[in-house]
Amino acid sequence: MIRRKKSFTLTELNKGDRARIIKVGGDRTKRRKIFALGILPGEVVILEQKFPVLLLKAGHSNIALDEGVGKNIIVSKENE
Amino acid sequence: MKKEKRVLLVGRPNVGKSVVFNNITDSYAVVSNYPGTTVEITTGKVRGERCSYQVIDTPGIYSLIPFSAEEEVTLKILFEETPDLIVQVIEAKNIEKMLPLSLLLLEVGFPLILAVNMLDEAWTAGMDLNLSELEKKLNIPVIGTISTRGKGMVSLKKTIEKKLIRGKEKAKAGFKLPYSREVEEPVQEMVKRQNAAKELLKDVIIPGKGTTNSLKEKLNYITMHPLWGIPFLVLVLYYGLYKFVGVMGAGVMVDYIDGYIFKGYLLPPLNDLAAFIPYSWLKELLFSQYGFINLGLRYGLAIILPIVTAFFFFFSIIEDSGYLPRLAMLLDTLFKKFGLNGRSVIPLILGLGCGTMAVVAARTLETRRERFIATLLLSIGIPCSAQLGLILAMLSQEPGALVLWGTALLVVLMGTGYFADKVLPGKSPGFYMEIPALRVPNIKALLSKTFARIKWYMKEIIPLFLLVSLVMWAASYVGLLNYLTGLTQPLLQVIGLPPELAPVFILGFFRRDYGAAGLYDLIQGGSLSADQLVVASLTLSLFLPCVAQYIMVIKEQGLSRGIVILFIVLLLAFCAGYFLNLLLSFII
């Protein structure tokens, strides 16, 4: 049996996936700004769109992120 | 004398703060720049039943860490001006994401009232809110509002008054935190606050059945779609910029104000007056082609003002409807190629209206590198609405010429951006942005925003036009104009243009559209071929921005960068004209 990967970067998810944020990387200031948007460890997000940029749905708000920022966000998949 | 009490409106962007502001304050709002910045702060007065106070509308914030120069201003007001009361406006359906900021504000010790706004949207989304429960838990007043319909405004005003009068005896004097950019705020605390917010909201949010607005959802989908978003953008630009700003503003409104009011009523008596002026120098200064009246007043008020008014209105619509962030998101990938990112959409689109204002707006970009590139592109050839209007009118008789001009302009702009990205040190910062819900903009908020921008324009730009007419008058008096014209002529010959165009180019610097207007006269006289027309239009579009914009570039970027931009612009305009001319001569 193939062992399934537990954590992913946001960019590795498919459109429509639900995921829980584990960690946000990147430099301190940028990280805080992303936190301030509501992308915090423990929160559940849905990846709504992958192109032209990543589009996350967090609660009732939408947040757009580019690939570079998305690569730094580590998540685990929810109910799959 | 007693100092007037001050109430601060804070909250995330797009939560309806300015609509709340317009609803509770008296009609005369004052828009001023925060000292030392170009960030606008709106202040209004409320004469209540029991006391009168001042309300200050601040730029949106997400947390107590500044994202941009605008947010820094909000934080400065919060921490340095010791407001008597804070009203945080919250978007009801996103209360879970916005309550952490309220908790933070309470932690710091601010006297706080929550206005939970846009309740109607929450109901549509299937959320009912038990606000009295929240009020009990937080032990601060919580008012439910629907600002666009004026709901809850009376009770908000009453609560503010009550709190202001009572707060006096209870006001804590000791909580003045020193403001610093690096407020220590580790992840754990933010997570803690978010969890606390969720816990608090447990009995507050009552899930119900929502209704779907299919049209809104479709629009929401289309505007963000990588493919469908593009034709939608084209529609917005066609109807918004071309039809509304171009045809309505630059056509109908200018014809009326310039042709009817100015030429019909204002100018003739003024010109009669000229006969009574005994000094020829004064007559020149006031009445010549570049004099105070012609250039300063007529140009500024009758030609440019209606165009920028239409543009500012259009811009407020795409801003307030939530379309701009969607545009930023769609164009991010493209803009990355030019060392910019999605955020730069705002100054660049603004540049299509007024380049001078756009150079100021470039301040909101994160890095110096981005600010420089955006300013450079604005200086090179993002045509402002005045210029765009005339060039479109001129070239529209020859659709081929129009396409050629547009393509060449885009190639030069993109090429410059691409090259700048490769050459300049540093790299582009990441793009992240909240995409707010699409909304029908509130007309009162639209008008007050547009009016504030027009006021800015009158204060900043009209004096520059007057200054320019003074300089032009002096330059033609001492013969400098003729000298510059003589200098330009041989260069024009190299790119295949007749020497008659030289004054058009020189004047183009002072009145960007004058260049185009001068061209127009030459076409009417039949002295330009179709090829020459395209080459001239392109060179003029790329040529120096208007003097007001250039002054702003130096103010924002400094003299040395300003000079670098000047040389790049001159070189590019000339080279592009040369190559286009060469290309055209090969084809024929």
Side-chain angles (χ1 to χ4, degrees), chain A residues 28 33 43 49 62 64 66, chain B residues 198 224 336 431 433 435:
Chain A
R28 226 167 63 131
K33 290 178 179 176
E43 293 298 294
Q49 223 168 285
N62 283 307
D66 67 11
Chain B
K198 274 189 193 158
M224 292 199 280
K336 286 251 170 64
F431 171 72
M433 196 179 228
I435 311 291

Side-chain angles (χ1 to χ4, degrees), chain B residues 4 46 54 179 323 331 344 388 395 424 427 462 476 511:
Chain B
E4 198 164 36
V46 182
Q54 216 180 43
Y179 169 74
Y323 184 61
L331 296 177
S344 348
L388 199 62
L395 295 182
L424 291 172
K427 64 179 184 89
I462 301 283
S476 76
R511 289 176 47 168

Side-chain angles (χ1 to χ4, degrees), chain B residues 95-278:
Chain B
I95 190 165
E96 196 187 296
K97 300 279 170 219
M98 300 190 182
L99 206 56
L101 178 62
S102 329
L103 296 178
L104 187 55
L105 289 169
L106 285 173
E107 266 175 48
V108 178
F110 289 115
L112 186 69
I113 290 180
L114 298 187
V116 180
N117 196 20
M118 301 178 174
L119 280 174
D120 50 342
E121 281 190 6
W123 295 330
T124 317
M127 261 173 87
D128 210 351
L129 294 163
N130 183 352
L131 294 178
S132 53
E133 180 68 26
L134 186 63
E135 193 167 68
K136 238 189 290 167
K137 283 181 172 171
L138 288 174
N139 201 20
I140 55 167
V142 179
I143 319 287
T145 60
I146 305 174
S147 59
T148 46
R149 290 195 237 146
K151 292 240 166 86
M153 292 300 138
V154 176
S155 103
L156 179 61
K157 270 175 150 175
K158 270 195 183 138
T159 315
I160 291 175
E161 271 179 45
K162 207 156 85 190
K163 191 93 176 171
L164 280 177
I165 290 170
R166 255 213 337 215
K168 212 172 165 191
E169 59 239 41
K170 279 208 290 181
K172 285 188 265 172
F175 66 73
K176 227 196 257 172
L177 275 197
Y179 169 74
S180 82
R181 263 193 84 129
E182 294 292 306
V183 184
E184 203 49 57
E185 196 175 35
V187 198
Q188 289 88 333
E189 273 193 31
M190 294 181 86
V191 173
K192 223 172 61 197
R193 229 171 270 128
Q194 178 71 68
N195 290 339
K198 274 189 193 158
E199 191 59 39
L200 276 166
L201 290 170
K202 250 184 189 158
D203 312 315
V204 174
I205 299 176
I206 301 146
K209 246 198 261 156
T211 43
T212 48
N213 182 340
S214 56
L215 177 69
K216 210 171 187 176
E217 253 158 51
K218 256 184 213 145
L219 260 181
N220 190 35
Y221 177 77
I222 289 173
T223 49
M224 292 199 280
H225 194 273
L227 215 69
W228 297 120
I230 305 298
F232 188 82
L233 169 62
V234 173
L235 278 181
V236 169
L237 292 181
Y238 179 77
Y239 283 104
L241 270 188
Y242 181 72
K243 284 283 184 194
F244 183 67
V245 180
V247 178
M248 242 290 280
V252 179
M253 277 159 70
V254 169
D255 280 350
Y256 180 75
I257 298 178
D258 184 42
Y260 188 70
I261 299 180
F262 264 72
K263 284 197 189 129
Y265 290 96
L266 281 175
L267 294 180
L270 281 172
N271 285 328
D272 290 344
L273 205 71
F276 294 104
I277 294 175

Side-chain angles (χ1 to χ4, degrees), chain B residues 210-494:
Chain B
T211 43
T212 48
N213 182 340
S214 56
L215 177 69
K216 210 171 187 176
E217 253 158 51
K218 256 184 213 145
L219 260 181
N220 190 35
Y221 177 77
I222 289 173
T223 49
M224 292 199 280
H225 194 273
L227 215 69
W228 297 120
I230 305 298
F232 188 82
L233 169 62
V234 173
L235 278 181
V236 169
L237 292 181
Y238 179 77
Y239 283 104
L241 270 188
Y242 181 72
K243 284 283 184 194
F244 183 67
V245 180
V247 178
M248 242 290 280
V252 179
M253 277 159 70
V254 169
D255 280 350
Y256 180 75
I257 298 178
D258 184 42
Y260 188 70
I261 299 180
F262 264 72
K263 284 197 189 129
Y265 290 96
L266 281 175
L267 294 180
L270 281 172
N271 285 328
D272 290 344
L273 205 71
F276 294 104
I277 294 175
Y279 313 104
S280 71
W281 62 269
L282 188 61
K283 223 188 255 181
E284 285 270 305
L285 180 61
L286 290 177
F287 294 100
S288 72
Q289 200 180 1
Y290 326 117
F292 269 1
I293 289 171
N294 225 331
L295 179 66
L297 290 181
R298 190 181 142 212
Y299 180 64
L301 296 179
I303 299 177
I304 304 293
L305 186 65
I307 302 177
V308 293
T309 302
F311 180 82
F312 289 157
F313 191 69
F314 161 73
F315 193 76
S316 302
I317 293 177
I318 59 171
E319 208 178 17
D320 279 13
S321 60
Y323 184 61
L324 266 185
R326 284 166 168 78
L327 202 53
M329 168 189 154
L330 281 180
L331 296 177
D332 179 62
T333 319
L334 178 70
F335 279 19
K336 286 251 170 64
K337 304 246 187 310
F338 316 134
L340 297 169
N341 75 35
R343 269 175 207 277
S344 348
V345 157
I346 295 159
L348 293 188
I349 293 264
L350 203 47
L352 291 172
C354 172
T356 312
M357 189 178 254
V359 169
V360 178
R363 271 193 169 192
T364 55
L365 301 180
E366 256 176 294
T367 61
R368 252 180 96 153
R369 181 177 190 262
E370 283 177 289
R371 291 195 286 269
F372 178 77
I373 296 177
T375 310
L376 178 64
L377 294 183
L378 284 167
S379 309
I380 288 175
I382 308 278
C384 68
S385 48
Q387 195 186 21
L388 199 62
L390 274 163
I391 285 188
L392 288 181
M394 224 160 50
L395 295 182
S396 60
Q397 294 132 5
E398 305 222 16
L402 193 60
V403 171
L404 199 59
W405 169 81
T407 317
L409 194 62
L410 271 180
V411 166
V412 174
L413 283 175
M414 289 180 160
T416 313
Y418 184 78
F419 190 68
D421 181 45
K422 288 278 169 290
V423 170
L424 291 172
K427 64 179 184 89
S428 133
F431 171 72
Y432 44 88
M433 196 179 228
E434 192 198 1
I435 311 291
L438 278 182
R439 295 201 176 97
V440 179
N442 176 274
I443 187 77
K444 217 171 152 190
L446 278 185
L447 290 178
S448 79
K449 220 175 210 176
T450 308
F451 186 63
R453 292 202 164 109
I454 294 170
K455 236 159 109 185
W456 176 89
Y457 169 84
M458 300 279 272
K459 221 174 73 192
E460 300 281 324
I461 312 286
I462 301 283
L464 281 177
F465 281 131
L466 292 175
L467 180 73
V468 165
S469 56
L470 188 70
V471 173
M472 293 283 275
W473 168 79
S476 76
Y477 225 68
V478 297
L480 188 67
L481 272 187
N482 287 334
Y483 176 73
L484 283 175
T485 310
L487 218 61
T488 320
Q489 276 169 355
L491 289 174
L492 285 178
Q493 263 156 11
V494 178

